[in-house]
Amino acid sequence: MVRLTGMAAAVCLILAGTARAQEMAPELAQAPAADPAAEARGVSQAVTAAELARWGRDRSDPGALIMAARLLAEVPVRVEGDEAPMLTPGALLDQAAAVAGGNTAVLDAIERLRAAGTRGVISSPFGRGPVFIVKQIDPRETYWFEVQARGGEVLRIAAIGDGDTNIDLTVRDSEGVLVCRDGFGDHYPVCTTQPRADGRLRIDIVNRGEIWTRVQILTN
């Protein structure tokens, strides 16, 4: 019996998953219809990918970075603005290759994922995917915007920082009443709400640090 090391086993799982993804990806004839609940799940998966990627970077673990890239690649996004993102599947694969130590199995897995990624997101359980925008926030400053929320629909907002500073996220209704706050002092705050009626909500993203930071903002 051949016993795989932890790294080899992880790479085998990644390769198997890549093959299944390539086999199961018929092209869509048209863009999917709006699905707020599915798009909200996409926000959550993007945050999971960011957290896993940070874990992988802290431990120089290429397998974790590869899996984070896979998770992120599954989520289509609707890009707004001109700022380039810092968290992308390609960037995560670059980081994985940098810490792979020349391991040919890992590098092969990375190249297979790159090849699959050139086809784009063809079929997704996350509908059209979340809206995505990148903003630079100065030290101790707040970037805010408003959204029109629909009653009875889940609204999920996430702020994925570049890791330099802690970020807070708050959501308030049109009367200024606090609806949600994630102020746990991390780099990836998330707020989820389901308003009873239509209305405008204000989202504040606060840079708690002493240096500027770039933040990827996602919302369904």
Side-chain angles (χ1 to χ4, degrees), residues 136-154:
Q136 179 176 312
I137 307 178
D138 290 331
R140 301 290 178 182
E141 293 293 328
T142 298
Y143 171 74
W144 67 273
F145 60 99
E146 292 186 339
V147 298
Q148 181 66 34
R150 294 187 178 90
E153 291 186 358
V154 173

Side-chain angles (χ1 to χ4, degrees), residues 33-99:
D35 185 342
E39 292 156 16
R41 292 194 298 272
V43 173
S44 295
Q45 180 150 321
V47 173
T48 298
E51 292 172 338
L52 178 58
R54 184 184 180 189
W55 188 94
R57 284 191 296 270
D58 289 346
R59 292 160 178 79
S60 296
D61 187 324
L65 289 161
I66 292 170
M67 186 57 69
R70 281 191 60 198
L71 288 171
L72 193 61
E74 289 178 354
V75 182
V77 291
R78 291 170 282 154
V79 179
E80 294 186 358
D82 299 323
E83 284 278 345
M86 60 277 185
L87 182 73
T88 65
L92 293 176
L93 293 176
D94 288 343
Q95 294 166 24
V99 297

